[in-house]
Amino acid sequence: MKIAVCVKQVPDATVHKRIDPATKRLDRSGEAALNPTDLNAVEEALRIKEAQGGEVVLVSLGPQKAVDSLRKALAMGADRALLVTDEAAAGSDLLGTARALTGALEREGADLVLFGQASGDGDGAVLWAAVGDLLRRPVVSQVAALTVESDAMTGKRQTEHGYDLIRAPLPAVVAVSDAINEPRYPSLKGIMGAKTKPQESVSIHDLGLAAEVVGEAGSRTAVLEIGPPPSRGDTIKFEDDGSAAQKVLDLVVERKLI
Amino acid sequence: MTRLVFLEHYQGAIEKGGLGVLSKAASLGETAGVVLGEGATEVAAAAGAFGASKVYACDAPELAAPLPQPRVDALATLVERSGVDTVLFGASVLAADVAAGLAARLDAGLNWDLTDLSVADGELVGKRPALGDTVGVDVGWKGAPRLALIRSGTFDPVESGGSAEVESFETTFSDFSTLATLVEQTQEESSGPSIEDADVIVAGGRGLGSPDAFSLLEELAAALGGAVGATRAVVDAGWYPYSTQVGQTGKTVSPKLYIACGISGAIQHKVGMQGSGTIVAINKDPNAPIFDFCDIGVVGDLHQIVPKLTELVRSRG
């Protein structure tokens, strides 16, 4: 079983995130980390590999410094990493990103492609569906429990109304929810071993793609303007002196909320 | 500009999320709707009352299960045949996958998590809060087709009293689109409104102190005709079911009234509820971040305040 896990480097949670006014892109110069929900996808891949053997390959698109974040997933137990890194791909929107990842995934030819639940920086939770369409393979998302056999997968998908049990033949693209598992911490041995695991960087050209299909040139969306967030107005704040419940009730009644 | 709104239906009725987007789109100009799946033709006409000038319907058996890929085939067919240049979706688990698959299929731009739509100089512009809603970004599209996912609960359905012609259409399916199949469907048992539909949500976090304290929130929610929500921390601790989790990794809600009890207001929770009309926060810690983005903040013990509030609401009759 060959499992490819698509992961992404995002600004660390402790970093004050900003959009560069000149490029209108997220400033990625500060401390970075592996996108937290991608860890669930890495963990799931490792569990499948431990149960039935095979290989876990990390696939990522990002600047060269993203190798630092990939190393964490290698330390958890992934076998190797493939980073698509190219100046031409900077500023890719959904389509550009999906094309670059699809190029890398086609090269790998994995039986199972895993994604995490959402990106921690762009708040996106859609990439797998675009990749699945480009790969022309079945897609199952929001998977809270996954069973993989030699030629098919069954996923328990969480929806607004309950759970759908969905089955698809392999190769398939699966996005896991963060309820699926608890990602392991890398062991000391894993951290030491990660340094010698294969890490390959490829360009857009190496994947047989034209530079125009990724980055700004390949984007079909545009950021027009960056402004302040919608304002909430003033806050009424007070300490409870025994009458807080009455005050809250009066305020919500006054606003015709109940 | 010819707009199309993707309308999901469940148990014989079109869902509120899509109808809200339809009402908004219709206020900007002529808009059609599309309903796919079993019973689509029967429910389609109802969209006329929310502003659709026309509703396309396809109820091919391949569309019976709530799976995204056959829907991408159907929408791609419709966009190509009807000359639609904009397709709008109310965000849902299904709609997100349909929208992104369609973007790849049509080589189209997709903007997501939009909280407003407008037309400037004849061009559609979306508003998207970003970076944990600390900035507001105006987004656009480089040409048609334009695809957009609207944050759930952003627009309320508005009855316009109109009516719509229903046009059935047929589609073919890609070989890979029908490979995934629905084996079994389990509906979640719940009493009262779901948190996505509730006008009032009473939510609890770690400040409750114990799972038992959720009964206080349940009583207040029942008195207000609302639903109970929870933070990720208490869901992870097993205090309350995942289906009630509000936040980045749970549900995004926008009730008229959100009462946050013992919730600090971490960013992971904030992004799921900041679209609420009025936010009331009750917390012992005067420095809790939630006091920075609530409308009414009470520094105090929720174990005292919540039962009193429940009593007061009940006594109003």
Side-chain angles (χ1 to χ4, degrees):
Chain A
M1 178 79 42
K2 183 169 178 178
I3 308 163
V5 188
C6 294
V7 298
K8 180 185 191 185
Q9 186 186 52
V10 298
D12 189 84
T14 57
V15 170
H16 179 73
K17 285 178 260 185
R18 64 182 280 272
I19 294 174
D20 184 331
T23 61
K24 292 178 181 165
R25 295 179 197 159
L26 182 65
D27 178 358
R28 297 184 184 277
S29 61
E31 274 296 301
L34 201 62
N35 182 40
T37 59
D38 291 349
L39 297 175
N40 298 99
V42 174
E43 176 64 35
E44 198 61 21
L46 295 175
R47 290 184 189 190
I48 297 164
K49 181 196 157 177
E50 282 156 8
Q52 27 190 294
E55 186 189 24
V56 175
V57 188
L58 307 168
V59 175
S60 190
L61 169 70
Q64 188 59 41
K65 75 165 192 169
V67 296
D68 299 338
S69 298
L70 295 178
R71 204 169 293 130
K72 177 171 182 194
L74 290 172
M76 286 170 72
D79 296 294
R80 60 188 175 86
L82 175 64
L83 174 67
V84 183
T85 186
D86 201 315
E87 205 29 58
S92 289
D93 72 351
L94 169 70
L95 277 184
T97 307
R99 287 187 186 117
L101 284 179
T102 300
L105 291 167
E106 275 172 344
R107 206 176 87 143
E108 289 296 334
D111 302 296
L112 185 64
V113 177
L114 295 183
F115 280 84
Q117 181 165 264
S119 78
D121 51 359
D123 305 326
V126 294
L127 184 57
W128 49 80
V131 168
D133 199 79
L134 295 174
L135 285 173
R136 302 181 64 81
R137 292 307 305 169
V139 175
V140 187
S141 69
Q142 297 294 341
V143 170
L146 178 63
T147 316
V148 178
E149 297 145 58
S150 61
D151 59 351
M153 55 73 50
T154 308
K156 187 179 168 192
R157 170 174 215 240
Q158 189 176 35
T159 74
E160 290 83 356
H161 305 297
Y163 289 97
D164 294 345
L165 201 61
I166 298 169
R167 191 172 166 82
L170 300 182
V173 178
V174 174
V176 303
S177 91
D178 68 346
I180 196 168
N181 57 38
E182 194 62 51
R184 70 192 66 186
Y185 288 101
S187 65
L188 187 60
K189 190 169 157 242
I191 293 167
M192 298 309 288
K195 292 173 184 158
T196 57
K197 285 181 174 172
Q199 292 198 48
E200 189 187 354
S201 293
V202 294
S203 69
I204 291 298
H205 178 77
D206 293 337
L207 296 174
L209 294 170
E212 301 80 56
V213 304
V214 297
E216 293 277 353
S219 292
R220 294 286 174 271
T221 55
V223 172
L224 307 173
E225 209 173 294
I226 298 156
S231 147
R232 286 206 69 87
D234 292 335
T235 299
I236 301 168
K237 187 177 169 188
F238 53 90
E239 251 178 75
D240 182 23
D241 58 1
S243 66
Q246 186 66 53
K247 279 191 205 162
V248 169
L249 183 72
D250 292 345
L251 285 164
V252 298
V253 168
E254 185 187 305
R255 296 175 188 213
K256 299 189 171 64
L257 295 169
I258 57 174
Chain B
M1 200 182 290
T2 327
R3 295 185 201 91
L4 182 71
V5 177
F6 176 71
L7 301 168
E8 289 180 61
H9 62 114
Y10 183 67
Q11 296 178 343
I14 300 177
E15 300 219 53
K16 212 174 106 180
L19 289 178
V21 175
L22 173 60
S23 294
K24 175 66 186 181
S27 76
L28 299 173
E30 193 176 345
T31 304
V34 56
V35 187
L36 304 172
E38 208 169 10
T41 319
E42 288 75 50
V43 302
F50 295 89
S53 55
K54 186 179 205 174
V55 188
Y56 297 96
C58 180
D59 54 10
E62 288 87 347
L63 297 164
L67 298 172
Q69 290 172 300
R71 284 168 170 72
V72 172
D73 291 319
L75 291 182
T77 303
L78 185 60
V79 168
E80 277 156 21
R81 270 194 220 151
S82 64
V84 160
D85 61 18
T86 304
V87 188
L88 305 171
F89 301 80
S92 74
V93 168
L94 180 64
D97 287 359
V98 177
L102 190 63
R105 187 75 61 87
L106 298 177
D107 191 18
L110 170 64
N111 281 307
W112 58 81
D113 205 23
L114 302 187
T115 56
D116 202 6
L117 287 172
S118 57
V119 176
D121 301 327
E123 294 284 334
L124 189 68
V125 176
K127 180 69 87 179
R128 179 158 104 81
L131 306 186
D133 290 12
T134 53
V135 296
V137 179
D138 284 346
V139 292
W141 290 260
K142 297 180 193 169
R146 303 170 195 85
L147 310 183
L149 276 160
I150 315 299
R151 187 183 278 191
S152 88
T154 297
F155 301 121
D156 285 329
V158 181
E159 287 210 49
S160 62
S163 66
E165 168 207 350
V166 176
E167 183 180 321
S168 293
F169 72 102
E170 284 180 13
T171 182
T172 53
F173 295 93
S174 308
D175 53 358
F176 65 93
S177 292
T178 50
L179 291 177
T181 52
L182 180 69
V183 180
E184 190 185 276
Q185 204 164 23
T186 328
Q187 316 294 350
E188 196 119 291
E189 298 287 327
S190 66
S191 54
S194 72
I195 59 172
E196 288 105 323
D197 293 331
D199 283 336
V200 178
I201 293 176
V202 182
R206 278 232 187 263
L208 290 177
S210 77
D212 302 338
F214 264 104
S215 63
L216 302 177
L217 309 192
E218 285 165 357
E219 284 166 19
L220 178 57
L224 292 166
V228 175
T231 64
R232 178 187 173 147
V234 298
V235 170
D236 277 353
W239 292 8
Y240 223 59
Y242 178 73
S243 59
T244 63
Q245 183 174 318
V246 174
Q248 197 165 16
T249 52
K251 288 171 176 141
T252 301
V253 297
S254 50
K256 292 193 176 74
L257 176 61
Y258 191 93
I259 305 178
C261 307
I263 293 176
S264 67
I267 187 75
Q268 128 80 27
H269 186 71
K270 183 186 176 190
V271 301
M273 47 68 85
Q274 62 201 341
S276 305
T278 294
I279 298 170
V280 177
I282 304 171
N283 202 303
K284 272 194 297 197
D285 175 9
N287 299 315
I290 196 153
F291 289 123
D292 296 335
F293 59 92
C294 69
D295 303 285
I296 301 168
V298 184
V299 182
D301 183 2
L302 70 95
H303 300 88
Q304 303 290 325
I305 298 165
V306 172
K308 272 191 208 164
L309 188 54
T310 306
E311 272 316 304
L312 290 168
V313 172
R314 281 187 188 144
S315 64
R316 291 179 79 240

